């Protein structure tokens, strides 16, 4: 017999051997010897009260052996000679689109502007050490897309958009640990992601798909409103039938190309702000109500904050406990920050984007002349402003949190994880009021919600500008562009995802739609 149970375990109990068995036998009023095994189905931590509680959902096997761990099998087919689907971009959306094509018996041909995950590392080093941004290979572009050198947080709110569990199982199939199927807030870590991504690529190749690196798509050949061919930067032209456009929200050249060709786009609301960095110990102490270091059984603490200021949300975004702030620019002449963390989340800093909602219809009157690309232009301008304020390299402008809120220049800054370095700048007077004044009110409110958060030991670093796409590439119910037959806008770049998992799910859906179109 198998019974499912919810069990609560405190920190002292968590250290005890067989604690789940003991608790289960007590709760079920059965002899402990009759419990053959316990399988953890879900684990979460509740730190709202001083006594931290681990909440477990378990399956209790009574007089019955634990079945072998299921192999997560995906029915991939040999597609070497199958009909082709072209996929532009090899981020989560493109990777999962390619895998789904193979499952359904179609051959994915992937075109990726960046390099493979190994070679990409060299270009990241060049950004961090020499401030040199390769416009095809950086923290956003290259194998695995923007999700590769990230936190690998696998949280998504878009539960309706597809089968989240299926995406997780597929990650396990390609080498992620089964822990991601259990944790309430699963994450993989930037040190583990590259191997998984390499396994995905090798699997695609093994079944007859194609993945071409250094293959930036630079033009679409359209006749009678039907996509006929795509052109690469090396001049190659490829005849196409169905194309999944999964180029992410940093591929500004793609938006500009579509706009130039009069292909329908829409301006989309988005969010921008700064990244805040605290010593992890401060966040641990607030969240776990402890003094000194957190208990070794507890993970680096995270937080999630939101506050309404003058009808706009100010909220934390992509919080990285025990992580690093990274330079996420995709071109020279701009400074963009983002966050990532290793699987153990053992760095001494906690960072998070703190961003303000930008309503594209109301907030950017001076940008109306840019039409549907107004949000994009606004992003560009702030990234340029950050570049100039940092000193015209990848050094980022920064200010102590309290100085920012109270409108003072910082004569010194706190230590940081941001490798290119920081330059003290009066960010309070540089940011547009729309963002700056809301951020200042937001930080004050956050300090009241989390005592100790509002501290001079934190820096704010600018700018956090690539939260989501400022442009939407429309699509019909069948996921095809309303004007251009054969074009399937996909993932974050189209405005249909906001993170690794939702992008992956959209990739699968677009593959199904593109195949249905053949
Ligand atoms: P992308 O991942 O952006 O992939 C697009 C791909 O298209 C890129 O590989 C790019 O090189 C390629 N491309 C672009 N233009 C062209 C072209 N013209 N021709 C050919 N190829 C092209 N999300 C989470 O859920 N959890 C996290 O912890 C997390 N952390 C992040 C940390 C960082 C530093 C960054 C930058 C992002 C993070 N994100 C995180 C966001 C997440 O990475 C994205 O939401 C996700 O990758 C979007 O997937 P996508 O496939 O739609 O686009």
């Amino acid at each position: 017999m198998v019974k499912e149970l919810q069990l609560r375990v405190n920190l002292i109990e968590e250290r005890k051997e067989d604690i789940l068995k003991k608790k289960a036998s007590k709760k079920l009023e059965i002899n402990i010897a009759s419990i053959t095994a316990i399988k953890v189905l879900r684990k979460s931590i509740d730190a709202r009260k001083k006594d931290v509680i681990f909440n477990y959902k378990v399956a209790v096997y009574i007089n019955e052996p634990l079945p072998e761990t299921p192999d997560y099998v995906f029915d991939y087919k040999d597609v070497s000679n199958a009909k082709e689907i072209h996929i532009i971009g090899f981020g989560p959306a493109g990777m999962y689109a390619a895998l789904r094509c193979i499952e359904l018996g179609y051959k994915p041909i992937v075109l990726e502007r960046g390099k493979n995950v190994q070679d990409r590392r060299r270009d990241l080093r060049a950004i961090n050490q020499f401030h040199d941004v390769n416009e095809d290979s950086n923290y956003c572009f290259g194998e695995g897309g923007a999700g590769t050198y990230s936190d690998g947080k696998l949280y998504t709110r878009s539960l309706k958009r597809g089968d989240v569990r299926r995406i997780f199982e597929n990650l396990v199939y390609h080498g992620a640990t089964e822990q991601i199927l259990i944790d309430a807030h699963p994450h993989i870590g930037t040190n583990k992601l590259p191997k998984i991504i390499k396994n995905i690529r090798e699997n695609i190749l093994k079944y007859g798909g194609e993945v071409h690196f250094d293959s930036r798509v630079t033009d679409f050949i359209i006749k009678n409103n039907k996509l006929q061919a795509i052109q690469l930067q090396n001049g190659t032209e490829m005849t196409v039938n169905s194309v999944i456009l999964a180029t992410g929200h940093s591929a500004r050249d793609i938006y500009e190309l579509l706009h130039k060709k009069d292909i329908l786009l829409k301006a989309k609301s988005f969010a921008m702000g700064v990244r805040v960095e605290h010593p992890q110990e401060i966040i641990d102490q607030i969240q776990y109500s402890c003094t000194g270091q957190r208990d070794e059984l507890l993970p680096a603490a995270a937080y999630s904050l939101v506050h309404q200021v003058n009808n706009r949300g100010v909220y934390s975004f992509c919080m990285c406990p025990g992580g690093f702030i990274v330079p996420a620019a995709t071109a020279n002449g701009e400074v963009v920050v983002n966050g990532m963390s290793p699987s153990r989340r053992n760095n001494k800093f906690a960072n998070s984007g703190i961003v303000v909602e930008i309503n594209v219809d109301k907030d950017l009157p001076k940008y109306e002349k840019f039409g549907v690309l107004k949000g994009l232009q606004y992003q560009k301008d702030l990234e340029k402003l950050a570049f100039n304020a940092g000193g015209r390299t990848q050094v980022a402008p920064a200010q102590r949190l309290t100085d920012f809120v109270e409108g003072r220049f910082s004569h010194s800054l706190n230590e940081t994880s941001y490798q290119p370095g920081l330059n003290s700048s009066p960010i309070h007077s540089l940011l547009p009021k729309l963002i700056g004044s809301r951020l200042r009110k937001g930080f004050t409110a956050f300090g009241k919600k989390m005592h100790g958060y509002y501290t001079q030991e934190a820096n704010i670093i600018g700018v956090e500008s690539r939260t989501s796409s400022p442009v939407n590439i429309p699509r019909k119910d069948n996921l095809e562009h309303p004007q251009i037959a054969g074009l399937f806008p996909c993932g974050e770049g189209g405005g249909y995802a906001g993170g690794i998992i939702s992008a992956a799910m959209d990739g699968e859906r677009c593959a199904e739609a593109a195949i249905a179109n053949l």
Side-chain angles (χ1 to χ4, degrees):
M1 192 190 341
V2 182
K3 286 206 165 174
E4 286 192 8
L5 277 187
Q6 303 279 352
L7 298 174
R8 285 163 60 82
V9 174
N10 68 29
L11 252 181
I12 298 167
E13 292 169 331
E14 179 77 3
R15 291 192 157 74
K16 293 187 182 155
E17 213 174 310
D18 279 343
I19 186 65
L20 294 180
K21 250 188 187 179
K22 285 176 192 157
K23 289 222 165 206
S25 81
K26 196 168 168 200
K27 200 160 181 180
L28 293 171
E29 297 179 352
I30 56 172
N31 189 331
I32 196 163
S34 65
I35 300 180
T36 37
I38 296 235
K39 184 173 181 197
V40 176
L41 303 174
R42 196 102 183 127
K43 183 179 179 185
S44 64
I45 297 176
D46 184 351
R48 283 171 299 177
K49 304 226 172 81
K50 197 165 170 30
D51 288 328
V52 175
I53 296 291
F54 295 85
N55 286 311
Y56 285 95
K57 182 179 179 194
V58 296
V60 186
Y61 289 78
I62 305 162
N63 297 322
E64 192 173 309
L66 180 71
E68 296 219 334
T69 314
D71 282 334
Y72 299 104
V73 177
F74 289 82
D75 183 17
Y76 294 123
K77 310 199 168 56
D78 180 356
V79 295
S80 319
N81 299 310
K83 282 189 185 164
E84 295 170 353
I85 301 277
H86 288 77
I87 300 170
I88 312 177
F90 200 48
M95 287 190 296
Y96 270 77
L99 289 171
R100 189 74 184 130
C101 284
I102 295 176
E103 263 187 296
L104 297 174
Y106 291 81
K107 176 174 180 164
I109 302 202
V110 179
L111 303 158
E112 165 56 54
R113 73 193 291 164
K115 300 182 187 168
N116 72 53
V117 76
Q118 207 81 36
D119 295 344
R120 202 175 156 188
R121 279 183 199 276
R122 236 169 281 140
D123 297 313
L124 302 187
R125 207 173 309 129
I127 303 174
N128 281 301
Q129 289 180 0
F130 312 117
H131 306 255
D132 181 19
V133 183
N134 177 331
E135 300 191 358
D136 288 312
S137 176
N138 45 58
Y139 276 94
C140 294
F141 294 160
E143 187 175 23
T148 307
Y149 296 98
S150 80
D151 208 25
K153 276 184 291 295
L154 303 178
Y155 175 73
T156 179
R157 268 172 291 182
S158 52
L159 296 177
K160 282 192 204 137
R161 285 196 218 171
D163 189 345
V164 180
R165 174 89 188 179
R166 195 184 129 77
I167 303 292
F168 281 25
E169 287 177 358
N170 200 310
L171 284 167
V172 173
Y173 179 83
H174 287 100
T177 88
E178 288 203 346
Q179 194 63 29
I180 65 169
L181 303 173
I182 294 169
D183 284 344
H185 293 283
H187 82 113
I188 293 180
T190 189
N191 49 326
K192 301 264 169 84
L193 279 159
K195 179 82 177 89
I196 296 165
I197 284 158
K198 183 167 168 266
N199 289 345
I200 291 177
R201 182 224 312 154
E202 284 174 353
N203 215 19
I204 291 170
L205 298 179
K206 178 174 142 195
Y207 286 95
E210 293 179 17
V211 181
H212 301 272
F213 295 112
D214 295 310
S215 299
R216 186 186 346 132
V217 171
T218 49
D219 205 0
F220 299 112
I221 319 296
I222 297 162
K223 283 197 189 119
N224 302 327
N225 286 338
K226 162 89 184 86
L227 191 51
Q228 304 279 340
I230 49 182
Q231 199 166 58
L232 306 185
Q233 94 272 23
N234 62 11
T236 309
E237 207 173 286
M238 295 176 130
T239 307
V240 295
N241 235 316
S242 284
V243 173
I244 296 174
L245 181 65
T247 43
H249 65 24
S250 289
R252 292 174 171 169
D253 39 6
I254 287 289
Y255 296 130
E256 280 155 7
L257 173 69
L258 295 174
H259 189 50
K260 202 175 82 193
K261 294 183 106 63
D262 277 334
I263 295 174
L264 187 67
L265 299 174
K266 289 182 183 161
K268 182 178 147 295
S269 292
F270 58 108
M272 281 180 77
V274 293
R275 201 151 265 265
V276 63
E277 184 168 60
H278 288 79
Q280 180 64 48
E281 202 171 72
I282 291 186
I283 303 300
D284 290 341
Q285 288 171 357
I286 301 170
Q287 300 296 69
Y288 295 136
S289 312
C290 62
T291 49
Q293 294 208 328
R294 67 175 185 270
D295 190 285
E296 60 186 6
L297 291 185
L298 295 172
Y303 62 82
S304 169
L305 289 163
V306 59
H307 185 69
Q308 285 292 316
V309 183
N310 305 337
N311 296 321
R312 296 282 178 280
V314 178
Y315 58 92
S316 56
F317 173 83
C318 182
M319 198 268 146
C320 299
F324 300 84
I325 299 184
V326 296
T330 45
N332 288 298
E334 61 190 33
V335 163
V336 179
V337 289
N338 210 311
M340 68 177 197
S341 65
S343 56
R344 290 177 60 212
R345 287 185 162 161
N346 54 355
N347 192 30
K348 60 183 180 178
F349 298 103
N351 72 70
S352 177
I354 302 290
V355 295
V356 178
E357 268 178 334
I358 313 278
N359 181 322
V360 86
D361 295 324
K362 297 183 180 160
D363 292 339
L364 308 176
K366 287 192 189 143
Y367 283 77
E368 284 305 328
K369 62 174 181 249
F370 297 101
V372 290
L373 299 186
K374 58 187 163 183
L376 193 71
Q377 188 59 41
Y378 187 70
Q379 262 187 344
K380 275 189 187 176
D381 284 355
L382 281 206
E383 292 169 4
K384 201 164 154 197
L385 184 140
F387 176 74
N388 287 330
R392 303 183 63 77
T393 61
Q394 284 304 304
V395 169
Q399 196 169 12
R400 283 182 192 253
L401 171 60
T402 42
D403 290 341
F404 170 70
V405 172
E406 289 158 37
R408 285 187 305 261
F409 183 79
S410 294
H411 293 288
S412 65
L413 294 169
N414 298 295
E415 208 192 334
T416 182
S417 65
Y418 182 75
Q419 265 196 54
L422 302 179
N423 186 29
S424 180
S425 312
I427 299 180
H428 64 278
S429 64
L430 292 176
L431 283 178
K433 212 169 148 227
L434 167 71
I435 296 178
S437 77
R438 285 190 173 90
L439 279 179
R440 289 159 81 176
K441 287 182 184 150
F443 277 124
T444 307
F446 296 162
K448 289 181 183 144
K449 289 182 191 181
M450 276 177 70
H451 294 289
Y453 183 88
Y454 182 64
T455 167
Q456 61 160 356
E457 287 182 65
N459 287 332
I460 61 142
I461 300 169
V463 285
E464 173 90 21
S465 48
R466 309 276 176 97
T467 54
S468 64
S469 175
V471 179
N472 165 247
I473 312 176
R475 58 191 192 190
K476 299 184 288 189
D477 288 348
N478 71 349
L479 310 191
E480 196 174 30
H481 190 277
Q483 272 174 344
I484 310 297
L487 179 66
F488 292 83
C490 179
E492 196 160 48
Y496 302 102
I500 295 169
I501 296 298
S502 55
M505 288 194 289
D506 200 52
E508 289 206 327
R509 284 181 355 120
C510 286
E512 289 160 17
I515 287 166
N517 179 60
L518 285 179

